Amino acid sequence: MSAAEGPAGPYVVGVDSSTQSTKALVVDVATGEVVASGQAPHTVTSGAGRESDPEEWYTALRTALAQCGDAARQASAVSVGGQQHGLVTLDAQGRPVRPALLWNDVRSAPQARRLVEELGGPKVWADRFGSVPGASFTVSKWAWLAEHEPEAVRATAAVRLPHDYLTGRLTGEGTTDRGDASGTGWWASATETYDEEILGRVGLDPALLPRVVGPGEVAGTVQDAELPFSKGTLVAAGTGDNAAAALGLGLHPGTPVLSLGTSGTVYAVSTRRPTDPSGIVAGFAAAHGDWLPLACTLNCTLAVDRIAALLGLDREAVEGGGEATILPYLDGERTPDLPHASGLLTGLRHDTTAGQLLQAAYDGAVHALLGALDRVLDDDADRSTPLLLIGGGARGTAWQQTVRRLSGRPVQVPEARELVALGAAAQAAAILTGENPAAVARRWNTARGPVLDAVPRDEGALERISGVLRGAAGLLEGE
């Protein structure tokens, strides 16, 4: 992502405020070169609840920007990509009423189920909102807060998402974007407006919500004189982390992404508004105007690493052959929808090796990921397009080879790592140049990386795993 002649300017800042930390990159608009970076951590509570102090996010942002030095002062625009779904409640002075409820706070699962039923079932939600809400969605969290902490609701004068909060600290304005708004459960993708019926059901005044800034619009200018920005620095709309990563990759519609992290995520940009009543595909909006259907698996790198540890093996110590099948559903599973499942091993023989068992765990995890991908992609999507492999597992040889073998498709591993921050930087650059931010990222060549050729798809392994899934349905579904 660098050019031989070096950075030419102007500069922009892209921010990734994730669950655990905030990162800032200063990027040259002309070349895409990262000229400076900084990072600072957050703290998150443990237990059933997952909460974080929004003030900490802003302190971390200031620290990360300070680490960028003079380069940040030369930036002409900034944009924030942030963790999705989190509920931030502010009082009349703009201070947090209580810690933010984060995306992975599952206490609101009963409220999510009730809201789905009250509005008429999953199909109504999918048709109107593009997604069927779960515990992660902001509307469920607000319903939980209203039920358990009514005094906090009464004290709330503004409701924000994490990226909204940081953008608001920069500009002094209350704004969001369609990408992040689409994960709330109160922004209807069918009309691209806040839905008054659901807001009424959960007792949320729409006046408390931020203005939705359109693609390419400016959210404001930096107002905090203590930040290392010059006066008049533009602030882009920002977006949620998945939409920012899609911008960071410069995705064309139909290009599939597999993100290999603790959990697995698959998505692709689409020109068609998603409406999946099963709830497996979240019909998010893309930050630049299209759509971003997305599906998750709960068990990915962490589950496979756990099985490697149980076997006393390095994570790369896989062996081919054998008849063993492992469904590594150590935390239940979301795709397929088996929330009460546990891990399952079958097909063990006297000559089965530990390496074959480890390979079976990889196969089981990738089988679930590819099943989720089939639901995400449009029917007419080109199945020969390389799969973009990102996330912590993407550089693992065993992960790469397993994805190739079970998908039958070429695999590309982008060299760029900070894709959320790069996507935010591309969004900031776009308000300076007038380009589509995905086009900016393509000009920066952010998806550049080795392409591994397709190999014949292992139909036998896929059918064996699918057969185990069918045969063990009763066992896997039991509570």
Side-chain angles (χ1 to χ4, degrees):
M1 285 195 315
S2 62
E5 64 271 18
Y11 292 166
V12 292
V13 172
V15 176
D16 173 10
S17 184
S18 68
T19 313
Q20 303 291 341
S21 68
T22 292
K23 303 165 190 170
L25 302 181
V26 182
V27 181
D28 178 68
V29 171
T31 66
E33 181 180 349
V34 176
V35 298
S37 64
Q39 180 175 353
H42 314 151
T43 55
V44 179
T45 61
S46 59
R50 292 290 190 274
E51 301 182 355
S52 192
D53 180 3
E55 294 278 4
E56 254 194 44
W57 305 338
Y58 192 60
T59 300
L61 174 58
R62 293 178 64 169
T63 301
L65 288 170
Q67 292 171 8
C68 293
D70 289 339
R73 294 182 179 84
Q74 299 175 50
S76 300
V78 57
S79 183
V80 178
Q83 53 177 306
Q84 288 185 262
H85 301 305
L87 175 64
V88 180
T89 51
L90 305 177
D91 64 19
Q93 286 73 47
R95 295 186 298 256
V97 170
R98 67 177 314 288
L101 298 170
L102 304 186
W103 63 274
N104 54 349
D105 189 314
V106 298
R107 289 176 291 180
S108 55
Q111 287 73 25
R113 289 192 293 268
R114 188 176 70 233
L115 286 169
V116 172
E117 293 169 3
E118 286 180 355
L119 205 63
K123 188 176 188 306
V124 173
W125 276 93
D127 288 346
R128 191 188 300 185
F129 296 90
S131 301
V132 181
S136 61
F137 278 61
T138 326
V139 68
S140 308
K141 299 185 185 305
W142 176 261
W144 181 90
L145 193 66
E147 188 174 327
H148 292 274
E149 298 181 19
E151 69 286 354
V153 166
R154 287 192 292 270
T156 298
V159 170
R160 301 290 184 261
L161 296 165
H163 117 256
D164 306 345
Y165 173 77
L166 290 173
T167 301
R169 289 296 299 263
L170 293 173
T171 65
E173 304 287 338
T175 62
T176 190
D177 89 302
R178 68 194 295 273
D180 220 1
S182 66
T184 59
W186 54 58
W187 184 87
S189 66
T191 58
E192 301 210 21
T193 59
Y194 291 130
D195 188 279
E196 293 189 4
E197 181 181 0
I198 195 62
L199 290 173
R201 284 184 179 274
V202 297
L204 178 54
D205 183 350
L208 274 58
L209 298 176
R211 175 175 67 90
V212 181
V213 177
E217 290 184 33
V218 176
T221 58
V222 175
Q223 299 298 308
D224 187 343
E226 295 186 8
L227 291 175
F229 290 115
S230 58
K231 187 175 181 179
T233 300
L234 298 176
V235 182
T239 193
D241 51 7
N242 287 301
L247 288 182
L249 287 165
L251 293 184
H252 287 290
T255 300
V257 178
L258 275 70
S259 180
L260 306 175
T262 299
S263 59
T265 306
V266 295
Y267 55 85
V269 170
S270 175
T271 58
R272 302 171 189 168
R273 186 176 73 89
T275 57
D276 177 18
S278 76
I280 290 174
V281 176
F284 295 143
H288 62 299
D290 287 327
W291 302 95
L292 193 70
L294 178 148
C296 294
T297 65
L298 294 182
N299 300 276
C300 196
T301 60
L302 190 65
V304 172
D305 283 354
R306 177 59 181 151
I307 290 172
L310 288 171
L311 295 168
L313 296 178
D314 180 90
R315 64 169 62 101
E316 296 289 343
V318 295
E319 294 179 39
E323 302 174 11
T325 297
I326 291 181
L327 304 180
Y329 303 161
L330 307 190
D331 290 314
E333 189 46 79
R334 179 171 172 177
T335 311
D337 185 16
L338 297 165
H340 305 294
S342 56
L344 184 147
L345 163 63
T346 186
L348 200 62
R349 301 289 184 184
H350 279 290
D351 59 354
T352 304
T353 68
Q356 289 170 344
L357 288 179
L358 181 56
Q359 181 62 67
Y362 276 97
D363 286 2
V366 171
H367 179 274
L369 271 171
L370 295 176
L373 182 63
D374 284 341
R375 290 177 172 269
V376 162
L377 291 175
D378 292 333
D379 291 340
D380 58 357
D382 182 357
R383 258 51 180 186
S384 65
T385 303
L387 301 174
L388 291 179
L389 218 57
I390 66 171
R395 287 166 175 77
T397 301
W399 281 109
Q400 293 172 3
Q401 301 306 328
T402 304
V403 171
R404 291 173 73 201
R405 183 171 55 82
L406 296 187
S407 70
R409 296 174 65 152
V411 166
Q412 184 169 8
V413 185
E415 294 171 0
R417 293 175 182 257
E418 304 297 345
L419 289 166
V420 174
L422 282 171
Q427 193 182 45
I431 62 173
L432 298 179
T433 66
E435 296 171 272
N436 183 306
V440 172
R442 289 194 289 271
R443 178 164 59 75
W444 291 349
N445 204 14
T446 52
R448 181 183 63 206
V451 178
L452 309 176
D453 292 337
V455 298
R457 190 161 68 168
D458 189 341
E459 302 288 356
L462 291 168
E463 179 51 41
R464 185 175 68 249
I465 298 167
S466 296
V468 169
L469 262 174
R470 289 190 298 269
L475 184 62
L476 291 168
E477 291 169 2
E479 296 192 26

